[in-house]
Amino acid sequence: MIQTDLKGNIQFKKSVATWQAAIQLAAQPLVTKKIITPAYVEAIIQNVNENGNYFILLPEIAMPHARPEFGSLKDGLSFLKLAEPVFFPGQVPVTIFFVIAAATDDGHLEMIASLGELLSDPKVTEQLKHVTDTTELLTLVADY
C-alpha cells in the first residue's frame, strides 16, 4: 500500500530554509495531484504553531498531517528527504518527511497505522536515513 501511494510523490533535495518550507515542499505533489488543498498544508503548519512538533515520530523522521476536514480530498502519501536537516521549534532536526492525507477519519487512522508499522522496524528507519533515490525507497517500502 505505501509503495503504491508514494509513486510519483517522492522528492530528494539538498536543503530548505525553514520547517514551513519543508512541509510545503513535501506536500506539493499531493497539492498538484489535487489530493489535498493548499489549506491542508496551512493547517499542518498551524498545528505545529499551536500544538508543537507532535508529528515528529522518530529522530529526523516526521509525518506531517492534519485532520481530513482541513482539505484532504483523497487518500495520498508523499515523501521528501533532505540532505541537510531543517529545524522545527526547539531546534529539533528533521530530514525525512512522509506527508499523509486521507479523505476520512478511518482512512487517516489506517494511513498512520501503515506508516507506523513501517517506521517501527529499526532496520527500515536506519535505511531510510541513507536512501538516495526513488527506486531504492520503493524497494525499501515494498513490503508495507
Side-chain angles (χ1 to χ4, degrees):
M1 177 181 118
I2 290 175
Q3 184 182 36
T4 303
D5 291 338
L6 274 175
K7 284 197 178 181
N9 299 337
I10 299 168
Q11 302 176 80
F12 293 88
K13 302 288 181 188
K14 183 175 184 209
S15 64
V16 294
T18 65
W19 63 265
Q20 296 94 328
I23 289 172
Q24 290 169 336
L25 179 63
Q28 190 56 52
L30 301 178
V31 173
T32 300
K33 292 180 177 180
K34 299 189 180 337
I35 293 169
I36 59 174
T37 66
Y40 186 83
V41 180
E42 290 307 313
I44 295 170
I45 292 169
Q46 189 61 35
N47 278 342
V48 174
N49 289 328
E50 292 175 5
N51 303 312
N53 305 329
Y54 69 95
F55 55 65
I56 299 175
L57 305 177
L58 296 164
E60 296 186 43
I61 301 175
M63 184 175 50
H65 61 281
R67 297 203 32 86
E69 62 267 24
F70 290 112
S72 181
L73 306 173
K74 303 176 191 172
D75 294 352
L77 181 66
S78 64
F79 175 87
L80 170 64
K81 168 109 183 285
L82 300 172
E84 298 172 10
V86 64
F87 291 89
F88 278 76
Q91 292 302 301
V92 179
V94 174
T95 57
I96 297 169
F97 295 82
F98 285 96
V99 177
I100 64 168
T104 65
D105 286 340
D106 286 346
H108 184 81
L109 295 174
E110 287 173 22
M111 186 78 70
I112 291 171
S114 293
L115 202 50
E117 184 181 337
L118 171 79
L119 297 175
S120 69
D121 184 335
K123 283 192 251 176
V124 172
T125 57
E126 188 57 33
Q127 288 175 304
L128 278 172
K129 292 177 183 178
H130 302 287
V131 70
T132 58
D133 65 45
T134 298
T135 303
E136 191 178 356
L137 176 66
L138 291 175
T139 300
L140 180 61
V141 302
D143 295 332
Y144 294 92

